[in-house]
Amino acid sequence: MGTVTRGTTNPNRLRRMDRWIAATHGTALRGCADPVAVDLGYGAAPWTAVELLGRLRTTVPATRVVGIEIDPARVAAAKPYEREGLAFRHGGFEVPLEGAKAPVLIRAANVLRQYDEAEVAAVWERLRARLAPGGLLVEGTCDEIGRRHVWVALGQEGPRTVTFATRLGSLERPSDLAERLPKALIHRNVPGEPVHAFLRDFDRAWAAAAPYASFGARQRWIRCARDLSADWPLTDGPGRWRQGEITVRWEALRPAPAG
């Protein structure tokens, strides 16, 4: 169930998302007797699934990863890379796992970008229904070499947070991340929408923190985040800010109701 994507992928493209998952969802992975993570729509090459296994296993050695693709040819091409803890399956949003196993993590990166905004909620609901108790769905978009990411984290109850992550040395202003907003938000970056107001304030805080640039881009980002947290419900702190991340509660950026 779903549509074949362009399949564009590059090694290390999803490293920022993977590191965030390992850091913030590691407790849930460790608490699962048989932790299975799904790389949904991994693309024309299996690199992202291979890398996800390696990164999660540094936190939870028992983790297994299943790459799922709707294009049978891509699954066939990935099969030679299977090994203990890593498998590839044909499928889509139904997330077909052997024995109807429920994954503790579904990562869907650069999958929904080609869909209409109106389709996102139904896809989110379908994927959330496949999660194991305490599971997490991470859905978002990044550029081709992994410099800029924005993703939504969802539990079984619905969306929780939005994370903005970037390689700080390449950033001119935070609103440069707008082009990587996930499908649920990318068309909402217009006046009157919460995400537009957030990016406006993000740029203002970044500009105000310019004096800290003499100490490096990381210190400027941390100061920017501190200022931003006065008006926006950030859920993380300096430990994650140092990684070039800022996470805000979904409720603060949720699209404005129609009409």
Side-chain angles (χ1 to χ4, degrees):
M1 181 175 294
T3 304
V4 176
T5 65
R6 290 188 305 147
T8 304
T9 189
N10 285 299
N12 267 331
R13 186 181 187 186
L14 301 181
R15 61 193 179 279
R16 300 180 194 283
M17 184 183 287
D18 289 352
R19 291 168 185 164
W20 181 88
I21 290 170
T24 63
H25 199 51
T27 299
L29 289 166
R30 285 190 293 271
C32 183
D34 182 21
V36 175
V38 167
D39 185 9
L40 183 63
Y42 57 84
W47 318 135
T48 60
V50 173
E51 292 165 353
L52 180 63
L53 178 66
R55 289 167 184 148
L56 292 183
R57 282 197 161 181
T58 62
T59 302
V60 185
T63 302
R64 294 188 291 129
V65 170
V66 179
I68 294 179
E69 250 296 335
I70 200 166
D71 183 348
R74 294 176 182 174
V75 179
K79 283 290 185 179
Y81 294 88
E82 289 190 332
R83 60 177 186 266
E84 185 276 323
L86 179 63
F88 296 94
R89 298 284 182 269
H90 175 233
F93 296 139
E94 73 278 12
V95 190
L97 298 182
E98 291 183 357
K101 175 73 176 180
V104 71
L105 169 72
I106 300 174
R107 185 190 64 184
N110 305 302
V111 172
L112 295 186
R113 196 166 178 84
Q114 68 183 17
Y115 288 78
D116 291 335
E117 182 184 345
E119 299 177 90
V120 171
V123 172
W124 279 0
E125 183 176 3
R126 179 176 293 275
L127 294 178
R128 289 189 290 108
R130 294 292 294 121
L131 291 170
L136 190 73
L137 165 63
V138 180
E139 187 273 308
T141 305
C142 70
D143 66 0
E144 288 73 11
I145 59 174
R147 293 172 305 171
R148 297 171 184 170
H149 294 239
V150 186
W151 60 80
V152 182
L154 307 94
Q156 289 178 310
E157 77 286 359
R160 296 174 178 172
T161 59
V162 183
T163 298
F164 298 78
T166 186
R167 184 168 70 84
L168 293 172
S170 69
L171 188 71
E172 182 176 346
R173 61 180 65 86
S175 61
D176 291 345
L177 288 160
E179 64 184 17
R180 299 301 164 184
L181 287 168
K183 179 59 74 169
L185 295 173
I186 194 165
H187 299 303
R188 301 304 185 116
N189 186 26
V190 294
E193 288 283 349
V195 71
H196 182 271
F198 176 77
L199 288 170
R200 176 202 64 206
D201 289 355
F202 207 165
D203 278 352
R204 289 174 176 171
W206 180 250
Y212 288 81
S214 60
F215 302 106
R218 180 176 286 115
Q219 293 303 315
R220 183 180 181 182
W221 181 268
I222 291 171
R223 181 65 210 188
C224 170
R226 289 189 187 280
D227 290 347
L228 196 62
S229 67
D231 299 307
W232 293 91
L234 304 190
T235 65
D236 50 6
R240 299 314 305 171
W241 297 342
R242 290 182 60 83
Q243 305 301 316
E245 301 169 5
I246 282 181
T247 298
V248 61
R249 293 192 62 82
W250 166 260
E251 289 81 2
L253 303 188
R254 179 171 27 201

